[in-house]
Amino acid sequence: MTRLRFASVVLIALLTATTAFAGGPERRVLMVGDSWADFMWFNRNLRDVFAANGRSDIVEEGAVTAISGSTAAEWAQPSFLQSITAELIAYPTIDTVQLTMGGNDFLAGESGGGWYVDISPTDLAALTNQILGDVATVIDHILALDPAIDIVVSLYDYANFEDSFFFPGCLGRYNDLGEPTTRQLNDASIALQAAFVTLVDTYTRVTLVDHTGLMQFTYGFPGDGIAPGTLLPPGNPDLPS
């Protein structure tokens, strides 16, 4: 299916649908996945987008299914799939699921079975196929519950280890990744997202959102003379997020 760059553009279809819910805002989106879903849920970003477009009657849900630190491997397990099932049953008005998963599997480092600088092509292919297989399991589960539901696979922007070593665990994770250069890490991310394209294109009700370079575009690098809005997505892979 056609791949769109910004989540608000992908989800704009919700704004054109007619809804009537006398008791308050109607839950239309289920957010499923890791911290990229969890922080959006915590900050209520989607409902802000809906309200800004005149649809304050539409909101998202993610209290149970947006879990920081979760992996695609975990979401493919029966207990995690059941949590998705339970939420879709609890909120029958949901017609879109946003999936964000796979990043933690990929950046688990050598000790965690993820990507690292010297990973062999064979092991990299196996890792990528495992991640895609787990995500496909989640997608297939959701579509089996409701074949008419829309799924938005919302992925990631470039990582930034250059400015984040003061966060707990970041330095250890960076070492476990083999101390990659920014370009090595970004190229690995780009390759993973390209693999997701192949997966998503096998479905008719699944859309991929590629955020690569979005933060570079939004914030720029003013200290380096790069103003916001200068670097159009996918940005410069030699620079971090």
Side-chain angles (χ1 to χ4, degrees):
M1 190 174 182
T2 301
R3 293 172 294 281
L4 307 177
R5 184 158 303 276
F6 303 109
S8 59
V9 177
V10 173
L11 296 176
I12 201 69
L14 292 173
L15 306 177
T16 62
T18 301
T19 60
F21 189 63
E26 189 173 64
R27 289 172 173 82
R28 296 284 300 280
V29 180
L30 181 66
M31 307 188 72
V32 179
D34 56 31
S35 60
W36 284 62
D38 192 22
F39 281 116
M40 288 184 68
W41 161 246
F42 180 80
N43 291 305
R44 304 301 194 263
N45 295 127
L46 291 187
R47 68 185 61 190
D48 289 344
V49 171
F50 298 149
N53 285 273
R55 294 302 303 268
S56 57
D57 57 318
I58 297 174
V59 296
E60 73 278 36
E61 178 59 44
V64 174
T65 53
I67 305 173
S68 289
S70 62
T71 64
E74 290 174 326
W75 282 107
Q77 297 305 308
S79 61
F80 278 72
L81 294 174
Q82 178 55 37
S83 69
I84 297 173
T85 300
E87 290 299 275
L88 291 178
I89 292 173
Y91 304 110
T93 54
I94 288 174
D95 55 17
T96 300
V97 176
Q98 176 181 309
L99 294 182
T100 305
M101 59 184 64
N104 288 326
D105 308 71
F106 196 74
L107 294 180
E110 183 175 8
S111 66
W115 178 88
Y116 57 98
V117 169
D118 294 324
I119 191 170
S120 70
T122 299
D123 288 345
L124 177 58
L127 171 63
T128 302
N129 289 337
Q130 180 64 52
I131 293 171
L132 297 182
D134 289 334
V135 174
T137 295
V138 178
I139 291 174
D140 292 340
H141 177 79
I142 295 169
L143 291 176
L145 294 171
D146 183 359
I149 205 163
D150 290 308
I151 298 175
V152 177
V153 177
S154 180
L155 294 180
Y156 309 93
D157 201 349
Y158 297 128
N160 185 341
F161 282 93
E162 294 185 16
D163 303 309
S164 58
F165 287 136
F166 60 90
F167 287 111
C170 280
L171 181 58
R173 177 61 58 87
Y174 176 71
N175 292 335
D176 202 22
L177 292 169
E179 301 182 0
T181 65
T182 295
R183 184 57 185 257
Q184 286 174 317
L185 190 58
N186 287 348
D187 282 347
S189 174
I190 291 169
L192 178 63
Q193 299 215 40
F196 265 93
V197 171
T198 302
L199 170 66
V200 167
D201 280 349
T202 64
Y203 297 93
T204 58
R205 301 200 68 85
V206 183
T207 300
L208 179 72
V209 182
D210 182 356
H211 301 289
T212 302
L214 179 58
M215 293 300 97
Q216 291 184 1
F217 172 77
T218 302
Y219 297 104
F221 298 90
D224 297 323
I226 302 175
T230 302
L231 292 173
L232 297 177
N236 184 345
D238 288 315
L239 297 174
S241 179

